């Protein structure tokens, strides 16, 4: 799918830079072929909406940027900014130029009191898999801006007092809260505080509380649609990172989430979310990650108020040589669309999806990287015209100088 471009480019990097380099300039080009761009059922055609019969698309993405990484005493300053031009062969109304940056000050007053000040922006193409009402007059991007301050104070060695404040803004330009979509715009400010205990072996346990106040970006107060303007969200979090051995690690993350809407309690959502990740270094060159997770996505859709997602995945990695790495991904996902609905469907929406991919990256020189990816997605839904099959392939080349 289209979002492969951004995911793959961030995964392979743009060629490895020397850690001693303070300034690096990067140039990358990726070409993606997708045989079902809009994630349409086999009975659907894009002709009605877009006036064209082509289901396939060829996307060219060119990225150029600069990164600065400078340590100074106990401090480290990072500046990474790039721009990517996305160009579509058939559906050029989707063309856009995305500007991304990651600016960080990894501050430290003493070795025992440190933290981060981060300004981050990512503007990427969004998948059409989660959009049921496509607007042909706009691009399909998702922009995430995050400003964060956090601290870690460890006056007693193993004990860490942690906390921070985050401002998050998400803009999805082809979706609105009232539509039956998962992605939509919102902004929120959150504060987090907690306690972590670390053993010398590398095992740690963390308890934290998170509280956020947010606004739905494109929603207005509407009694008929029971759509709200804002919300308050609380999370109680437990993280347990267990170093089982020199070759295996278990990471557990569990949270209880409560979202309360400002005006309509019918839309309130609460429940457990979390993940388990078991990482196993089978050999010195091979690693396998086994992942299971469950999540809740509150919404303001007319046919549901939240989405429950359950996921399992196997993700192996093989370092064939120090310069050649092969990765795999097999992910299975189940979603149930539930909760209060102003206009409920005749049958509760449920879907299953399977994603399989394999990729390889090769760095023949320190400043050159080459990559390739093959991917297949399949979704089965109980709703008519909601199934799809998508096959995509990508090649990628990058330079760092």
């Amino acid at each position: 799918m289209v979002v492969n471009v951004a995911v793959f480019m961030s995964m392979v990097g743009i060629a490895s830079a020397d850690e001693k380099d303070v300034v690096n300039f990067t140039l990358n080009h990726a070409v993606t072929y997708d045989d079902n761009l809009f994630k349409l059922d086999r009975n659907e055609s894009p002709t009605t909406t877009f006036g064209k019969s082509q289901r396939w698309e060829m996307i060219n993405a060119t990225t150029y940027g600069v990164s600065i990484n400078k340590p100074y005493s106990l401090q480290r300053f990072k500046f990474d900014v790039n721009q990517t031009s996305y160009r579509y062969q058939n559906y050029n109304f989707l063309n856009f130029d995305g500007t991304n940056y990651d600016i960080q000050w990894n501050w430290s007053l003493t070795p025992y009191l440190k933290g981060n000040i981060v300004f981050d922006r990512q503007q990427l193409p969004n998948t059409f898999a989660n959009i049921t009402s496509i607007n042909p007059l706009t691009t399909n991007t998702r922009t995430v801006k995050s400003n964060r301050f956090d601290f870690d104070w460890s006056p007693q060695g193993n004990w860490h007092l942690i906390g921070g404040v985050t401002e998050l803004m998400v803009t999805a330009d082809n979706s609105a809260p009232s539509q039956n979509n998962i992605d939509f715009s919102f902004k929120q400010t959150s504060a987090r505080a907690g306690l972590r205990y670390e053993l010398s072996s590398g095992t740690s346990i963390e308890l934290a509380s998170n509280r956020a106040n947010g606004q739905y970006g494109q929603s207005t107060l509407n009694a008929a649609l029971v759509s709200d303007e804002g919300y308050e969200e609380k999370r109680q979090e437990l993280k347990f990172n267990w170093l089982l051995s020199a070759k295996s690690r278990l990471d557990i993350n569990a949270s209880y989430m409560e979202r309360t809407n400002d005006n309509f309690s019918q839309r309130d959502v609460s429940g457990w979310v979390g993940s388990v990740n078991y990482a196993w270094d089978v050999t010195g060159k091979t690693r396998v990650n086994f992942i299971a997770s469950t999540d809740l996505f509150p919404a303001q859709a007319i046919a549901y108020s939240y989405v429950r997602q359950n996921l399992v995945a196997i993700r192996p990695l093989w370092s064939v040589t120090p310069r050649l790495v092969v990765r795999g991904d097999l992910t299975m996902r189940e979603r149930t669309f539930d909760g209060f609905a102003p206009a409920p469907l005749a049958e509760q929406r449920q879907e299953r999806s399977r994603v399989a991919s394999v990729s390889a990256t090769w760095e023949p020189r320190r400043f050159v990287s080459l990559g390739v990816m093959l991917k297949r997605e399949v979704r089965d839904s109980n709703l008519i015209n909601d199934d799809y099959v998508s096959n995509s392939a990508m090649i990628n080349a990058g330079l760092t100088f």
Side-chain angles (χ1 to χ4, degrees), residues 48-211:
T48 303
T49 303
F50 306 106
K52 295 182 179 181
S53 61
Q54 291 94 337
R55 297 165 63 96
W56 63 273
E57 184 58 277
M58 188 79 74
I59 309 107
N60 283 269
T62 303
T63 301
Y64 51 92
V66 60
S67 62
I68 300 173
N69 190 332
K70 177 64 176 177
Y72 181 77
S73 185
L74 295 177
Q75 320 302 311
R76 180 175 289 274
F77 301 93
K78 298 180 181 180
F79 177 87
D80 190 350
V81 61
N82 65 72
Q83 180 157 321
T84 304
S85 298
Y86 295 91
R87 297 296 179 261
Y88 294 72
Q89 180 173 324
N90 294 324
Y91 298 96
N92 55 21
F93 72 90
L94 294 171
N95 292 350
F96 78 98
D97 297 318
T99 301
N100 309 305
Y101 56 76
D102 181 12
I103 302 170
Q104 299 187 27
W105 173 18
N106 308 141
W107 59 269
S108 179
L109 297 182
T110 73
Y112 308 104
L113 177 58
K114 54 189 176 181
N116 304 281
I117 298 176
V118 181
F119 303 95
D120 182 84
R121 183 183 193 269
Q122 297 292 320
Q123 184 180 9
L124 303 172
N126 204 3
T127 175
F128 285 94
N130 298 331
I131 298 178
T132 56
S133 303
I134 300 172
N135 183 355
L137 302 178
T138 183
T139 57
N140 183 34
T141 66
R142 191 171 191 265
T143 304
V144 180
K145 292 179 65 177
S146 176
N147 304 320
R148 187 180 85 247
F149 167 82
D150 63 60
F151 68 87
D152 182 332
W153 183 38
S154 54
Q156 299 297 325
N158 299 91
W159 289 97
H160 293 251
L161 180 64
I162 56 176
V165 179
T166 302
E167 182 184 43
L168 177 65
M169 293 159 283
V170 177
T171 304
D173 60 11
N174 209 325
S175 183
S178 60
Q179 298 175 350
N180 288 322
N181 303 333
I182 295 177
D183 296 316
F184 54 85
S185 303
F186 68 91
K187 62 180 180 179
Q188 71 175 31
T189 301
S190 61
R192 185 174 187 269
L195 195 63
R196 182 173 68 248
Y197 183 76
E198 296 181 353
L199 298 175
S200 57
S201 62
T203 296
S204 67
I205 185 168
E206 178 177 311
L207 293 171
S209 179
N210 191 308
R211 182 167 183 170

Side-chain angles (χ1 to χ4, degrees), residues 62 109 138 143 159 199 221 223 245 299 303 336 350 369 377 388:
T62 303
L109 297 182
T138 183
T143 304
W159 289 97
L199 298 175
L221 193 63
S245 69
T336 302
Q350 296 179 338
S369 70
E377 298 178 62
Y388 73 81

